[in-house]
Amino acid sequence: MNPLLSVRDLTVAFGKDASQPVVKGVSFDLKPGETLAIVGESGSGKSVTALSINRLVDFGGGRIVGGSMGLTRPDGAVLELSQAEEKTLVGIRGREIGMIFQEPMTSLNPVHTVGAQIEEAFRLHRGLEGQAARQAAREALDRVRIADAGQRLRYYPHQLSGGMRQRVMIAMALAGNPRLLIADEPTTALDVTVQAQIMALLAELKAEMGMAMIFITHDIGLVAGIADDVLVMQNGVAVEQGRLDAVLDAPQHDYTRHLLNAVPHFDGGRAARDDGTRTEGRAKPMVAVRDLMVRFPVGRGLFSRNPGAVHAVEGVDFDLVQGETLAIVGESGSGKSTTARAILGLVEATRGTIDAASGHGDRPIQMVFQDPFASLNPRLDVENLLAEPAIAAGRRVDAALRERMTFLLEKVGLPTDCLARYPHQFSGGQRQRLCIARALMLNPDVVVLDEAVSALDVSVQARVLDLLIDLQREFGLAYLFISHDMAVVERIAHRVAVMYAGQIVEIGDAGAVLSRPQHSYTRRLIAAVPGMDRRRQRYDVDTTPVPSLVRPRGYEPPRADWVDAGPGHRVRVE
Amino acid sequence: MNYLARRLLTFPLILLGVSLLVFFSIRMIPGDAITAMLGTEAGLLTPVQRQALAAYFGIDQPVVVQYGRWLAGLLQGDLGISVTYGKPVLTVILERFPLTLELALLAMVIALGIGVPAGVLAATNNERSTDVVVRILAMLGQSTPGFVVGLVIIYVLSVYFGFVPAMGSFTPLWADPLANLGQLIFPAVTLGFAFAASVTRISRSAMLDVLSDDYIRTARAKGVSGSSVVWHHALPNALIPVVTLSGVEFGYLLGGAVIVEQIFALPGLGRLTLDAIGQRDYALVQGCVLFIALNFLIVNLLVDLAYAALDPRIRLSAR
Amino acid sequence: MRIIRDIASHPTGRVGAAIILLYLVLALCGALGLTPHDPLQQFRIDRLQPPSATYWMGTDLFGRDTASRLMIGIGHSFIIAFASVGLATLFGTLIGLLAGWWGGLADGLFMRAMDVLLAFPAILLALLIIAVTGPGTFTSIAAIAIVYTPIFARVVRGPTLSLKRRDFVDAARTFGSSQRYVLSRHLLLNLVAPLTVQVTLALAWALLTEAGLSFLGLGTQPPAPSLGLMMSEARNLMQQAPWLLVFPGLTIMLGILGFNLFGDALRDILDPRTQRRTA
């Protein structure tokens, strides 16, 4: 069979300088109805490759400086995409090559209804007008499993959740019945259960319509579930490519092996840490949280009839002892970050107590934030950044303090002569190391890590996790590790607490919770996590809606009942 | 609370603040009000006459009572009596207002009519010669004071075309639309000149921002053609900052009218204000300033409504 | 310093910087009495002379040298512009910073007060102030300062609100950093860039407003020369002596252009968004 798309030596450069291309000679063939996954980290050129195929790269300042891309048209003729005129390309885009993007939040036009945006696609590709276009748009929304399609057509993008918007994007991309769909990290911005829904939907629609797909991702675990062929990219070069099983089972290139082995992959609790098992009741907790409750008032104002509150955190209890990592996992809106912020006093607890044992420093609890770009003041140099906790504690910047700075810089693996540098001179991973060093300046006992590795590239993630484990052992630190990423949690946690809708639904040893989940939500969450061993496995389409956290005034949740599922493993009764 | 509801709620508050400011600034004029009002002629008054006048204008009362009365009068449309014209202030203002309003609106139409297409043209030809020319013109336009533009227009018209724009008189729009337009077109160009330049600049930069947004890429990926991407997908988003600017600039237009009306000797509200200051007719100054500020506030409210109409995120958001 | 290098290599920025420098030199020479002629002296026999070797830019109705008067006028305009923008920056920044930082009621009160000031078109507010205090240099400074204070307050409040939600401010709170430290190191230091741009552009507007006020006869009072006033005096002589219109007009335009170009260049250089776009 002729390939649908045949790419040879594709070379793409930005700006006027063609000597430093971003994509350097990538070649592949894609057969009709098959899926090619392009895997790589940021800067690997995987997205640029994707955008080159429908030539959207032209609008971002990119140029195809070499190679060819032959697209077989329905009539059998081959169109050379790299040479095609913009006029021809407009007829190809959407009709023969559809595309969906990473950021569903910004990829829809905010001033047009989703209905209008889908109808436009039907108008362009099928010539449908008025009622017929509306009817087609409604059917398209039905097809991507949006309930109440007729109603939703009138919604504006900002009124829909991220998962919904991505479905709208899919509905729009499929309006023209394209024979090739390019999906550029379509699930990266989504929660893991929503990701599973979108992946299931894509697999189903692809089978139904017999279309080919190019699936761009940084997560090799996702690839296992959907791809026929895999292409691994690093620094603009395709370092390895082949059939799915060959690449996953017998990787040839070091980088592929690194992606498969060094990077965190979820392993069903088998890879959980076994060092430093906790002796229940013996160790004095460094932090004891009891019945923590955080509520944010909503709808308070002159005209609102029913003021209520968002019950962001509802009756959370846990202990954290010296030297252990407690991971709080949950999806967006579960209250995990609010819990962390309440412990640091960044949000006020509505009720409950947070007891911190007096440790050896002035401030025994420190925090590392998610975004290393936002948590360092861009106008301060490293010395001033590291000095801030000490200055806040009333110390002077003297030789002893500078000595501590260089000591910690060395500990976190940064050059010790970088005190005069500014944050923009560091990479994301280095900045996060800087944040960790800053958190350790006052010799704390507990570090709260709020999605501390989530913004990092996967291989950087692995190294920062290793660093955190080393530091924990050396300084006897306790970590409260907030994350949505089960693979990362499995690597670092001794114990895991699963949060859902503001409450802990299950808590226990990492190995036990991740391998034998008891609560239905924990099971759902773990079932949604992609893994290397779940090859070509369909995810279930599960559309359980998240309950609203907005409660009327005076609402009190029912008392929680717990059952023991093993030593230290407690599950909330549903 | 809804954005519009909040906007409507603060409106009377701001208006109250404006009235306070205007009332008390006029009260801060050194010397007593009678002297301020009548100038040197006040010296001819007997103490009894003074007393009577003070009682007549209510300025023998405590200042708070004066303000209360004045505010109560305001709410009934009573802005006091103009000493110069011997007529109620509101009557004098309403005689002059149509000219200024028409002038400002005409200037706005000219500015938006030139500025938005020019800005879009420049943005879609980013860094090409069209863009450079538009940017240079806009930069020059923004740096030229209105009176320089006005005087240059008068000079060119009179020296090269032997045409002197009719000055001093004013034909209302409804009396003779052509004559009216002939009188107002050059003042309106003068007034709208700098505004057109800022509209050009802001449309260009807003358009550039929007064109690099993700949803524009989505539209292109969908197969929408180049011009439809610009006009249908990008422009509605790029207009949002232009609308905001228009509200602010309308104030500058009302203010700039003072200068333009002075140059073209047009009997509008701006010139009335200026003359009232010269004549120390404080009731009239007070009335004019208040009236213009009120108009500005109303226009800004309308702009906010337009803003909400353009941007569903504002219209439909809870806060 | 890097910023100077950046401006020098910015195509329009260096034009703007050159114009501003030239004007500063001219104003300084004027202040030191280094003018071609005495700006106030009336050379009666040389009335309305066209530009010549003696009078580079001609003379006015009273036989005063236009070039010398322009030099003094530039100085006057600059003093008023710098003083008023300086005051507006000081008060506006303070109000905007505290309103944004405190939030809640203080924010509401401060910003509604600023809204009241913003409800007046700039020239009109200046007119009102001049009506109260009478025309003059100090009144012009005060009027322009009051007009631009709310604009600076808004310019500062926006970024303050977004900076205050940034993670590094949250981090500072977890360290227990003092309010003073957070305001000066985390907020003000990051506001320097947007403020610099705003100050430069405000200087352009202030020159514009000052010229407008003195054109209306409400700014600098005769016989002291000022750019706006010279234009106003030239109005009725434009047929006989167009140079009286041309030179002050060009002087005003060029000065404002200089600040506008400089401000735009600063924005290009300091704004991370345009940096990303050109990158």
Side-chain angles (χ1 to χ4, degrees):
Chain A
M1 194 160 36
N2 269 341
L4 172 65
L5 178 69
S6 177
V7 174
R8 287 289 167 277
D9 288 322
L10 176 69
T11 307
V12 188
F14 279 80
K16 292 197 174 68
D17 188 13
S19 66
Q20 284 186 327
V22 185
V23 174
K24 303 161 191 162
V26 168
S27 305
F28 61 84
D29 284 330
L30 180 62
K31 294 198 191 76
E34 293 221 321
T35 299
L36 168 74
I38 304 183
V39 188
E41 295 178 84
S42 57
S44 63
K46 59 186 192 303
S47 287
V48 175
T49 305
L51 289 169
S52 299
I53 293 165
N54 58 5
R55 291 279 299 279
L56 283 182
V57 75
D58 298 20
F59 297 98
R63 272 182 316 131
I64 292 165
V65 292
S68 65
M69 297 184 292
L71 175 75
T72 309
R73 308 287 297 264
D75 59 7
V78 174
L79 174 74
E80 180 46 50
L81 290 170
S82 66
Q83 305 296 330
E85 299 281 324
E86 177 62 20
K87 216 167 61 196
T88 318
L89 291 166
V90 166
I92 298 285
R93 292 187 197 121
R95 196 182 302 238
E96 292 184 40
I97 305 177
M99 184 156 187
I100 53 178
F101 300 95
Q102 174 173 358
E103 284 294 340
M105 305 314 265
T106 54
S107 292
L108 290 168
N109 196 327
V111 303
H112 297 304
T113 60
V114 298
Q117 297 185 55
I118 301 173
E119 281 166 36
E120 184 180 29
F122 280 106
R123 200 172 59 240
L124 288 169
H125 305 308
R126 307 253 189 94
L128 299 182
E129 296 286 345
Q131 200 55 49
R134 207 155 310 131
Q135 181 62 29
R138 203 168 69 221
E139 282 162 13
L141 280 193
D142 276 335
R143 201 156 59 150
V144 295
R145 304 271 166 69
I146 288 185
D148 261 347
Q151 287 289 321
R152 301 288 185 185
L153 286 175
R154 286 197 286 275
Y155 277 42
Y156 286 93
H158 74 275
Q159 295 169 298
L160 299 175
S161 68
M164 291 263 230
R165 291 189 211 190
Q166 200 57 294
R167 286 161 200 265
V168 170
M169 282 293 293
I170 294 173
M172 211 158 76
L174 298 188
N177 268 335
R179 289 177 308 135
L180 169 61
L181 179 69
I182 303 172
D184 186 3
E185 302 237 24
T187 60
T188 306
L190 303 174
D191 273 327
V192 62
T193 52
V194 182
Q195 164 172 290
Q197 293 165 19
I198 297 290
M199 292 302 287
L201 185 65
L202 280 176
E204 200 178 292
L205 292 172
K206 191 177 95 75
E208 199 178 299
M209 299 171 58
M211 88 194 151
M213 180 153 77
I214 296 179
F215 189 88
I216 317 289
T217 182
H218 67 277
D219 184 350
I220 209 165
L222 269 184
V223 169
I226 198 159
D228 299 303
D229 281 324
V230 181
L231 189 155
V232 181
M233 283 187 78
Q234 186 188 23
N235 298 327
V237 179
V239 294
E240 179 154 2
Q241 60 197 104
R243 300 299 284 181
L244 176 74
D245 295 327
V247 173
L248 294 193
D249 297 333
Q252 299 301 307
H253 194 273
D254 281 346
Y255 181 67
T256 316
R257 278 198 284 270
H258 166 80
L259 280 184
L260 285 168
N261 302 324
V263 159
H265 296 291
F266 186 63
D267 203 17
R270 286 183 293 273
R273 279 171 76 177
D274 50 10
D275 61 333
T277 38
R278 169 185 180 138
T279 34
E280 193 69 31
R282 286 257 301 283
K284 184 170 77 81
M286 299 306 300
V287 180
V289 174
R290 290 288 170 272
D291 198 27
L292 179 68
M293 213 169 263
V294 181
R295 293 174 184 174
F296 302 108
V298 286
R300 217 168 38 182
L302 254 61
F303 301 122
S304 45
R305 266 153 286 165
N306 41 6
V310 175
H311 289 214
V313 178
E314 192 96 277
V316 161
D317 290 297
F318 61 82
D319 289 340
L320 182 63
V321 303
Q322 190 186 6
E324 81 166 354
T325 304
L326 170 65
I328 301 187
V329 294
E331 297 182 279
S332 50
S334 64
K336 57 188 193 305
S337 278
T338 310
T339 304
R341 296 172 70 83
I343 289 171
L344 269 299
L346 291 174
V347 295
E348 209 182 320
T350 313
R351 199 186 298 169
T353 56
I354 300 158
D355 289 322
S358 59
H360 30 299
D362 297 295
R363 290 197 164 245
I365 309 180
Q366 292 290 335
M367 181 159 173
V368 175
F369 294 83
Q370 170 171 8
D371 183 356
F373 290 82
S375 52
L376 296 171
N377 184 343
R379 303 266 163 203
L380 295 182
D381 61 13
V382 172
E383 178 171 329
N384 275 301
L385 288 169
L386 292 182
E388 186 178 353
I391 292 173
R395 297 216 203 124
R396 274 218 312 278
V397 184
D398 51 18
L401 196 67
R402 276 197 201 92
E403 204 174 304
R404 170 123 188 116
M405 288 179 194
T406 41
F407 169 75
L408 284 174
L409 283 176
E410 201 185 334
K411 282 286 166 219
V412 299
L414 287 175
T416 50
D417 57 353
C418 68
L419 284 179
R421 288 206 255 158
Y422 286 85
H424 68 89
Q425 293 166 291
F426 295 94
S427 68
Q430 286 177 319
R431 289 184 203 210
Q432 206 57 310
R433 285 165 193 265
L434 211 52
C435 291
I436 294 167
R438 183 173 63 172
L440 298 182
M441 276 302 284
L442 294 182
N443 204 7
D445 304 287
V446 178
V447 181
V448 175
L449 300 144
D450 186 4
E451 300 272 10
V453 298
S454 304
L456 307 176
D457 263 334
V458 282
S459 45
V460 181
Q461 236 176 24
R463 289 196 290 271
V464 173
L465 285 175
D466 289 342
L467 169 71
L468 285 171
I469 292 172
D470 289 345
L471 293 171
Q472 179 167 50
R473 289 194 183 123
E474 182 165 355
F475 299 113
L477 296 168
Y479 289 150
L480 185 65
F481 192 91
I482 315 290
S483 183
H484 70 279
D485 187 336
M486 303 298 278
V488 165
V489 163
E490 188 180 17
R491 281 270 182 117
I492 195 165
H494 296 105
R495 291 202 306 142
V496 171
V498 181
M499 277 190 83
Y500 179 64
Q503 297 171 327
I504 291 181
V505 295
E506 183 161 1
I507 184 168
D509 285 341
V513 172
L514 297 182
S515 62
R516 294 183 302 280
Q518 302 296 313
H519 193 275
S520 66
Y521 174 70
T522 317
R523 287 196 192 135
R524 216 158 69 221
L525 188 64
I526 287 174
V529 178
M532 212 70 71
D533 48 351
R534 308 181 62 178
R535 218 160 286 184
R536 281 177 287 273
Q537 185 180 330
R538 282 286 188 78
Y539 295 90
D540 297 326
V541 178
D542 161 32
T543 45
T544 318
V546 180
S548 166
L549 298 179
V550 181
R551 308 288 193 186
R553 188 160 55 186
Y555 172 87
E556 288 298 330
R559 264 196 70 80
D561 292 316
W562 296 85
V563 289
D564 279 338
H569 186 174
R570 302 199 305 147
V571 184
R572 201 180 178 106
V573 177
E574 290 170 65
Chain B
M1 205 191 310
N2 187 297
Y3 165 79
L4 284 178
R6 206 175 45 201
R7 225 23 216 89
L8 285 168
L9 205 72
T10 50
F11 184 72
L13 262 176
I14 306 283
L15 213 54
L16 194 72
V18 166
S19 75
L20 272 169
L21 186 77
V22 171
F23 181 82
F24 285 99
S25 1
I26 296 294
R27 286 300 167 287
M28 274 167 61
I29 295 172
D32 72 301
I34 305 281
T35 317
M37 231 182 282
L38 300 182
T40 45
E41 287 167 43
L44 304 172
L45 296 173
T46 65
V48 178
Q49 280 175 312
R50 252 178 191 280
Q51 201 79 61
L53 264 180
Y56 174 73
F57 287 112
I59 46 184
D60 52 345
Q61 303 282 324
V63 120
V64 182
V65 177
Q66 286 185 42
Y67 173 70
R69 282 187 180 181
W70 179 71
L71 198 62
L74 272 192
L75 294 177
Q76 296 157 27
D78 177 11
L79 291 166
I81 306 284
S82 158
V83 186
T84 329
Y85 296 88
K87 283 195 275 191
V89 166
L90 190 64
T91 313
V92 180
I93 290 176
L94 288 180
E95 279 167 13
R96 305 293 194 93
F97 182 56
L99 191 157
T100 305
L101 183 67
E102 199 193 329
L103 186 61
L105 289 178
L106 202 56
M108 197 155 202
V109 169
I110 291 171
L112 291 175
I114 294 173
V116 171
V120 171
L121 191 71
T124 48
N125 289 290
N126 190 18
E127 300 299 331
R128 275 181 249 158
S129 52
T130 321
D131 181 33
V132 173
V133 170
V134 169
R135 276 159 75 188
I136 291 175
L137 287 178
M139 190 40 122
L140 286 175
Q142 209 181 26
S143 306
T144 315
F147 58 86
V148 173
V149 181
L151 292 181
V152 168
I153 288 179
I154 292 176
Y155 181 77
V156 170
L157 285 179
S158 60
V159 171
Y160 295 99
F161 296 94
F163 171 78
V164 181
M167 292 198 189
S169 62
F170 173 59
T171 320
L173 184 64
W174 52 89
D176 184 351
L178 269 181
N180 168 283
L181 205 64
Q183 276 173 337
L184 284 189
I185 188 73
F186 294 113
V189 168
T190 305
L191 191 55
F193 195 79
F195 183 20
S198 5
V199 172
T200 306
R201 285 165 54 85
I202 202 137
S203 321
R204 174 181 174 273
S205 75
M207 198 70 190
L208 279 178
D209 279 349
V210 169
L211 282 176
S212 65
D213 276 343
D214 285 351
Y215 52 82
I216 296 301
R217 193 177 57 180
T218 304
R220 291 206 166 105
K222 192 157 75 168
V224 179
S225 70
S227 67
S228 176
V229 165
V230 169
W231 298 106
H232 182 65
H233 287 267
L235 191 63
N237 285 287
L239 276 181
I240 293 169
V242 177
V243 166
T244 315
L245 175 84
S246 301
V248 177
E249 287 281 346
F250 191 77
Y252 290 112
L253 293 183
L254 288 176
V258 176
I259 291 173
V260 173
E261 286 168 10
Q262 183 73 1
I263 296 173
F264 288 91
L266 288 171
L269 197 52
R271 190 129 167 272
L272 183 70
T273 316
L274 200 61
D275 292 345
I277 291 176
Q279 289 149 350
R280 316 196 73 165
D281 185 347
Y282 291 117
L284 191 54
V285 173
Q286 197 167 270
C288 287
V289 171
L290 206 63
F291 192 81
I292 295 176
L294 177 69
N295 274 291
F296 186 21
L297 282 173
I298 290 173
V299 167
N300 267 319
L301 195 66
L302 293 177
V303 162
D304 281 340
L305 294 178
Y307 190 61
L310 268 177
D311 192 343
R313 286 163 296 186
I314 304 257
R315 188 173 356 132
L316 300 170
S317 75
R319 64 177 87 191
Chain C
M1 285 237 300
R2 229 189 92 208
I3 186 88
I4 296 174
R5 256 206 336 267
D6 285 344
I7 297 258
S9 58
H10 191 279
T12 54
R14 63 178 166 217
V15 178
I19 295 174
I20 296 172
L21 271 180
L22 173 73
Y23 273 53
L24 284 174
V25 169
L26 287 176
L28 197 68
C29 290
L32 296 173
L34 300 173
T35 52
H37 301 276
D38 182 340
L40 294 181
Q41 193 185 342
Q42 305 185 350
F43 301 94
R44 300 256 169 180
I45 40 166
D46 289 335
R47 285 178 183 188
L48 293 181
Q49 287 293 309
S52 65
T54 326
Y55 305 108
W56 301 340
M57 296 182 180
T59 61
D60 67 5
L61 190 60
F62 303 101
R64 294 176 297 196
D65 178 42
T66 306
S68 309
R69 290 176 67 72
L70 282 178
M71 285 171 74
I72 304 291
I74 290 172
H76 257 289
S77 299
F78 269 42
I79 287 173
I80 292 174
F82 278 95
S84 57
V85 171
L87 289 173
T89 310
L90 187 69
F91 291 116
T93 304
L94 207 64
I95 292 171
L97 187 67
L98 293 180
W101 178 249
W102 285 334
L105 190 64
D107 184 25
L109 282 177
F110 276 155
M111 293 325 285
R112 290 301 82 73
M114 294 297 108
D115 284 349
V116 168
L117 288 180
L118 280 173
F120 299 93
I123 286 269
L124 193 76
L125 186 55
L127 284 186
L128 181 67
I129 294 163
I130 289 162
V132 174
T133 57
T137 304
F138 287 108
T139 312
S140 297
I141 293 175
I144 298 172
I146 291 174
V147 166
Y148 290 117
T149 297
I151 294 175
F152 274 98
R154 279 201 173 177
V155 163
V156 167
R157 179 178 170 268
T160 302
L161 283 178
S162 77
L163 283 170
K164 142 173 137 165
R165 280 192 288 267
R166 294 278 284 280
D167 284 349
F168 59 76
V169 173
D170 274 343
R173 288 168 64 195
T174 69
F175 306 139
S177 289
S178 67
Q179 180 162 282
R180 219 186 66 185
Y181 185 91
V182 173
L183 282 176
S184 63
R185 289 301 189 91
H186 292 318
L187 298 184
L188 270 182
L189 207 55
N190 280 293
L191 287 168
V192 169
L195 265 177
T196 318
V197 174
Q198 198 62 29
V199 163
T200 320
L201 297 176
L203 283 170
W205 305 331
L207 285 176
L208 204 78
T209 313
E210 191 274 334
L213 285 178
S214 59
F215 178 79
L216 291 174
L218 298 169
T220 311
Q221 293 299 298
S226 90
L227 305 176
L229 203 56
M230 290 169 75
M231 289 290 286
S232 166
E233 289 164 354
R235 266 175 73 191
N236 300 321
L237 301 165
M238 59 167 72
Q239 308 262 3
Q240 304 103 292
W243 61 88
L244 287 180
L245 203 65
V246 169
F247 291 113
L250 280 179
T251 307
I252 297 173
M253 245 182 89
L254 202 63
I256 296 167
L257 185 69
F259 282 103
N260 273 334
L261 288 174
F262 191 70
D264 262 22
L266 276 180
R267 178 160 34 203
D268 284 354
I269 292 162
L270 297 173
D271 183 359
R273 279 198 314 171
T274 48
Q275 271 172 358
R276 213 186 315 131
R277 194 184 299 149
T278 50

